[in-house]
Amino acid sequence: MTNLTRNDIEIATRAADHFTRLYYSTYDSATRVDDLPKFYRPSSALVWNGKPLQGSDGVRKLLGGMPTTKHDIQSFDCHPIPGSQPPSLMVIVSGTVVHGKGPAGNPPSTPSKSVDGQPRVFSQTFMLVPDPNAPKSTTGEVAKYYISADAVRFVG
Amino acid sequence: MLSSPSPAPSGRSIAANALRKAGLMDRDRDERMRDASDKPGGRKGAQKSTQRARAHPHRPRAIDAITGKDLPGASNASRVSMLASRLAAGDSIAIRGASKGTLGRLRRNAVSGSTSADAATESKVISLWKEFVHRRWNPEAKFLNLERMAEDDYIRRNALVAPGAPGSTNKEASVIFKIASKLTPEVETMSLAHNNITSASTIIGLPRYLPKLVNLSLEGNKLRMWKDLDYIAGRRGRLENLRELVLTGNPIREVEYQNNRVDQYKSEVARRFPSLEILDSEAIAKIAFDVPQASTSTALPAQPAATTFPCEMGPSFLTGVDGSIISNFFMRFFPLFDNQRSALVDAYHPDATFSFSANTAIPARARIEGYHHSKEMPNQRKLEWSPWLLGGHGGSRNLNRMGGGVEKMAKTLHIGNQEVVKAMSDLPKTRHDVAGAPEKFCVDAFPVTHGDSMHLFVTVHGQFVEEPAEGIRSFDRSFMLAPAPEGSRAKQSGWDVMILSDELVVRAYSSHEAWRPGPMRVQAGEPFPPSASPAQLPPANAQAQALLQEALSSIPEPQRSLVMQICQRTGLNVAFAVQCLEGNGWDLERAVANFEQVKGTLSRDAFL
């Protein structure tokens, strides 16, 4: 293992910031079925609420049957994991997600105290790793990263 | 002859009134304008020129466009710079583009329906700005060149207050950006170089009106403080695509360079604009992703989105690892975390990382359920966030809330097992009841490859009692674990696995019902996904069931679940259910309502 430098930490933090914005805005977009799988590779492992899925195809299939979403990120954190150069990143995200039409989509007879349609709290953790085979597209690019593992749960 | 106490409103004073009313000009400026127009013989001339400008606002003189560019130092940006060189190259085109643009595009403001003189003048001021923006716009290069606005002859002639000029507020710039937001094609590159801008509060409207800007030059302004820059820092939905930024010639950059703080300068800027690739013509080291390009994302959604979840909530998921390894780990880890954190020092790798972050948001479902005020949990109101926000040697590492604080970002990541344990020991005392109430915890764990080795990726969700308030909090915690090598401190202390990385999120209490295995509902009143439990299908004989299943199998998800629901709610057969949904834009409620209207007219063979 190598020691983390301040530079590693900074790059990791910035990457996590950029990544979370991109990922959830893509997830919430009309083109998510085509676009979100691009963050993954065929070897990626995912677990959605305890259900295992494999790779980009698994993501595509999952999203094909998913109601529309609107994510709101409330906190995220990121560690560079030493052991590879550049380091892998572990990103943990906490926030809420509204599915479908939210409370507005409930039938009129729904009691006001119903939790149906209300935002759910979700927790999602990603392992982001450098892709050694991806061509570098910009001058300052350290590496191209993809999601090698992803575990998400509704937790509230 | 009686002298009138106040001069009749000239065109100029109406303009001044309108400006002041619109907040585009302060009183001083007004006074100065009055002074100017009160000069002997001056008023008449001014009035004339204003009238002429009003009569022919869209007649640009070639010289205007050129004088704007022909300023001392305008071409001193000749250093090797991608944006800078593009800006320079764009100059000549900008003139052409600008004059072309003013021919057809310039019209009086749309407010012209108004009868009030002030409103008309107000719209005229905006028209003047519109013409200015179009003069400076190069549609071929998608480049809006707003350099040196105060020195532009057009600005002077029309007595406009340029952003950054004395007497300006952030309104002028916002007006300009709003006009710019309507340009086609969309503005990609903008230069605000040499405008005497001392704080980005002047251009606070920029991220709002031009959220997709790609290249921005603020060269040669007077930005001094980081908080000045925070006004335009990238946020969600704002300047998220900014690729290149030029701050050369601003004190914020030059002072840092003089003090050999180049790296700090770069990271402070990069933190504020996570998408940035080039700063002051130099590449920034960054990690890239296979970003879906906005331009390719134009395909229409092929199908209506599903209205149910694709799968049920599953129980804890463990694969590729002996479950006892995980349970042994947690059965030992949490009691030590609760009672003797210092004893965890050997569970962490010598280079391990730990951080915690507080998500202080109030969860909507928990609020509706009344958990904050329930009799069962009387201590919830006694919980405070401050020990989490400020404790643990640096406080919460919620990067979503950390602004530009590079120092804090480094300080709140605890590296090395000694540091980890020290930071943890400063956090509130906790009680995790992992042995007594396992249903209150949920674990997903699977192996991942990392470099040349296999690691365990583990996430756990659950709750703990926080002392001394005795209130309950929820948490999410993710670990990267590695097998403890023979002879290691971890192995010697009886740990089969050791922690490489530990990220803890502490949040307000939500019930563990959230992950109770079983079907989940998107909207109230919906049946749970029928695919999960075929028993919910309407009673029918076995043959009809088989036919239904066969008919359904040819329909792709997510339509299938909609069809199922229609079948259930209306008793229609699959073919008619599909017709009904198609006729109602695949909207379930509309389809049901439509069915209710026409059901009397349907023949028997429409039904199951």
Side-chain angles (χ1 to χ4, degrees):
Chain A
M1 286 234 220
T2 48
N3 284 327
L4 292 170
T5 66
R6 192 191 157 95
N7 198 37
D8 286 337
I9 299 168
E10 277 180 31
I11 293 178
T13 306
R14 225 182 305 135
D17 195 351
H18 195 201
F19 169 76
T20 51
R21 290 165 200 247
L22 285 174
Y23 183 85
Y24 293 105
S25 61
T26 304
Y27 204 125
D28 295 343
S29 76
T31 55
R32 61 183 185 175
V33 176
D34 293 327
D35 288 342
L36 202 72
K38 292 175 187 162
F39 288 97
Y40 298 81
R41 294 287 183 276
S43 60
S44 305
L46 301 74
V47 177
W48 186 86
N49 283 314
K51 164 112 178 157
L53 298 156
Q54 179 70 43
S56 329
D57 288 342
V59 178
R60 195 172 292 114
K61 216 174 137 201
L62 178 77
L63 289 173
M66 184 76 74
T68 54
T69 54
K70 178 132 186 33
H71 289 85
D72 180 32
I73 303 168
Q74 290 163 335
S75 81
F76 72 90
D77 194 358
C78 170
H79 291 188
I81 312 281
S84 68
Q85 197 49 248
S88 301
L89 308 177
M90 190 165 86
V91 180
I92 189 165
V93 182
S94 180
T96 62
V97 55
V98 178
H99 295 95
K101 293 172 189 161
N106 289 339
S109 57
T110 309
S112 61
K113 285 277 182 186
S114 167
V115 297
D116 284 310
Q118 293 290 339
R120 293 173 190 271
V121 183
F122 75 91
S123 170
Q124 189 160 19
T125 306
F126 302 93
M127 165 106 163
L128 304 176
V129 302
D131 182 349
N133 303 318
K136 292 187 182 183
S137 57
T138 60
T139 33
E141 193 174 303
V142 173
K144 183 148 278 170
Y145 275 50
Y146 67 93
I147 301 168
S148 79
D150 162 5
V152 63
R153 281 269 177 190
F154 298 153
V155 293
Chain B
M1 189 174 114
L2 292 166
S3 64
S4 121
S6 58
S10 67
R12 178 156 282 210
S13 67
I14 291 172
N17 262 335
L19 280 167
R20 202 173 51 237
K21 205 167 142 236
L24 293 185
M25 199 176 85
D26 61 18
R27 187 157 284 283
D28 290 347
R29 178 75 193 176
D30 187 12
E31 295 308 322
R32 265 187 284 128
M33 284 177 92
R34 242 180 240 285
D35 289 346
S37 55
D38 282 341
K39 270 181 205 156
R43 193 189 303 164
K44 207 176 171 188
Q47 214 169 329
K48 219 182 215 167
S49 76
T50 314
Q51 278 161 355
R52 190 173 52 227
R54 203 169 6 163
H56 307 285
H58 53 279
R59 186 183 293 166
R61 294 177 303 165
I63 189 81
D64 295 340
I66 292 159
T67 46
K69 313 292 155 212
D70 197 21
L71 293 162
S75 62
N76 70 357
S78 59
R79 65 185 64 79
V80 188
S81 158
M82 297 179 68
L83 174 56
S85 61
R86 208 170 329 131
L87 293 177
D91 274 356
S92 58
I93 312 169
I95 294 165
R96 187 158 45 83
S99 49
K100 195 173 83 186
T102 53
L103 288 177
R105 218 179 283 119
L106 197 109
R107 282 187 205 99
R108 285 308 185 116
N109 188 278
V111 196
S112 57
S114 163
T115 51
S116 138
D118 271 9
T121 321
E122 198 172 311
S123 89
K124 187 187 150 242
V125 172
I126 291 168
S127 298
L128 289 171
W129 278 118
K130 268 192 184 169
E131 172 167 0
F132 175 73
V133 168
H134 286 296
R135 279 163 180 254
R136 294 293 196 100
W137 169 232
N138 173 358
E140 287 87 354
K142 301 177 188 174
F143 172 36
L144 183 59
N145 187 347
L146 298 174
E147 284 177 18
R148 301 179 192 272
M149 287 187 274
E151 297 166 42
D152 191 304
D153 211 37
Y154 176 89
I155 297 280
R156 291 175 172 175
R157 202 156 26 84
N158 290 292
L160 294 170
V161 184
S168 66
T169 68
N170 61 26
K171 297 267 172 54
E172 294 84 4
S174 287
V175 167
I176 293 174
F177 298 145
K178 190 175 178 183
I179 295 167
S181 70
K182 291 173 181 151
L183 292 171
T184 49
E186 222 166 324
V187 180
E188 205 173 88
T189 302
M190 179 183 282
S191 172
L192 286 163
H194 304 286
N195 278 305
N196 214 12
I197 296 168
T198 52
S199 163
S201 64
T202 306
I203 51 171
I204 193 168
L206 179 67
R208 188 165 122 227
Y209 288 113
L210 297 162
K212 293 179 183 165
L213 199 65
V214 180
N215 309 299
L216 173 65
S217 173
L218 290 167
E219 185 173 349
N221 282 293
K222 296 190 174 160
L223 299 171
R224 196 168 292 281
M225 314 279 282
W226 288 115
K227 65 177 171 56
D228 290 338
L229 205 58
D230 285 337
Y231 288 104
I232 57 163
R235 293 200 176 83
R236 295 186 200 281
R238 305 272 168 97
L239 293 187
E240 282 186 328
N241 303 324
L242 194 70
R243 197 180 147 267
E244 183 168 0
L245 177 67
V246 182
L247 289 171
T248 314
N250 284 272
I252 203 174
R253 175 186 191 270
E254 305 310 329
V255 171
E256 299 284 46
Y257 267 73
Q258 280 157 27
N259 295 332
N260 284 323
R261 286 170 50 88
V262 176
D263 287 346
Q264 284 92 330
Y265 161 77
K266 285 183 180 172
S267 59
E268 289 287 355
V269 178
R271 270 286 293 145
R272 285 166 172 82
F273 301 96
S275 58
L276 208 61
E277 289 173 14
I278 300 165
L279 173 62
D280 306 331
S281 318
E282 283 178 36
I284 292 184
K286 69 173 296 197
I287 286 166
F289 302 96
D290 281 333
V291 189
Q293 296 300 314
S295 54
T296 65
S297 303
T298 48
L300 289 167
Q303 310 163 328
T307 56
T308 55
F309 287 112
C311 2
E312 297 187 347
M313 174 64 71
S316 286
F317 176 81
L318 281 81
T319 192
V321 54
D322 187 340
S324 66
I325 291 182
I326 300 291
S327 60
N328 288 345
F329 172 75
F330 282 132
M331 287 311 222
R332 191 168 173 211
F333 178 86
F334 282 118
L336 284 173
F337 186 84
D338 291 342
N339 300 311
Q340 201 189 346
R341 288 183 192 154
S342 59
L344 286 171
V345 70
D346 290 330
Y348 287 85
H349 185 280
D351 293 333
T353 51
F354 165 73
S355 64
F356 62 92
S357 45
N359 174 1
T360 58
I362 298 165
R365 292 180 180 231
R367 182 174 46 75
I368 291 170
E369 302 279 8
Y371 292 132
H372 194 60
H373 297 282
S374 70
K375 282 186 193 134
E376 292 73 24
M377 296 187 286
N379 298 317
Q380 293 306 87
R381 273 163 290 174
K382 296 182 195 159
L383 288 169
E384 285 178 16
W385 279 114
S386 50
W388 296 99
L389 294 173
L390 306 169
H393 290 242
S396 162
R397 195 172 196 262
N398 178 352
L399 298 173
N400 202 40
R401 294 274 177 94
M402 209 169 267
V406 174
E407 285 303 321
K408 180 163 187 192
M409 182 193 81
K411 196 177 150 200
T412 50
L413 179 62
H414 308 284
I415 307 175
N417 56 343
Q418 302 287 346
E419 292 298 314
V420 167
V421 170
K422 220 188 282 174
M424 287 193 317
S425 301
D426 193 44
L427 289 173
K429 195 165 157 45
T430 54
R431 290 201 313 272
H432 296 73
D433 192 9
V434 277
E439 75 282 1
K440 291 179 179 168
F441 298 83
C442 174
V443 181
D444 294 318
F446 51 98
V448 291
T449 49
H450 180 227
D452 301 328
S453 43
M454 288 299 275
H455 291 163
L456 263 182
F457 181 71
V458 183
T459 61
V460 54
H461 312 284
Q463 65 184 63
F464 59 79
V465 176
E466 179 179 321
E467 298 180 12
E470 295 289 315
I472 303 170
R473 292 217 191 266
S474 290
F475 73 93
D476 312 295
R477 198 161 186 170
S478 293
F479 296 91
M480 190 64 67
L481 304 177
E486 290 299 330
S488 63
R489 289 282 299 268
K491 194 76 178 178
Q492 284 167 8
S493 309
W495 298 96
D496 293 324
V497 286
M498 60 181 175
I499 303 165
L500 299 181
S501 177
D502 172 3
E503 296 180 8
L504 169 64
V505 174
V506 178
R507 53 188 165 81
Y509 175 79
S510 285
S511 168
H512 62 275
E513 287 291 308
W515 57 76
R516 188 181 56 179
M520 295 180 288
R521 208 148 63 174
V522 175
Q523 230 87 68
E526 279 170 6
F528 286 112
S531 57
S533 49
Q536 285 184 0
L537 285 171
N541 63 44
Q543 198 194 353
Q545 275 292 4
L547 280 171
L548 174 64
Q549 290 300 345
E550 194 191 322
L552 277 172
S553 66
S554 62
I555 300 168
E557 269 293 341
Q559 283 100 322
R560 195 187 307 163
S561 64
L562 288 172
V563 173
M564 292 288 280
Q565 290 180 57
I566 284 287
C567 294
Q568 278 176 262
R569 288 174 65 171
T570 63
L572 285 173
N573 66 33
V574 171
F576 277 81
V578 169
Q579 270 187 32
C580 182
L581 280 162
E582 276 177 347
N584 289 285
W586 290 90
D587 183 312
L588 186 68
E589 294 307 322
R590 267 176 58 196
V592 172
N594 188 206
F595 167 78
E596 293 297 332
Q597 286 167 1
V598 302
K599 62 181 174 187
T601 67
L602 294 174
S603 72
R604 178 69 196 87
D605 59 4
F607 295 90
L608 285 164

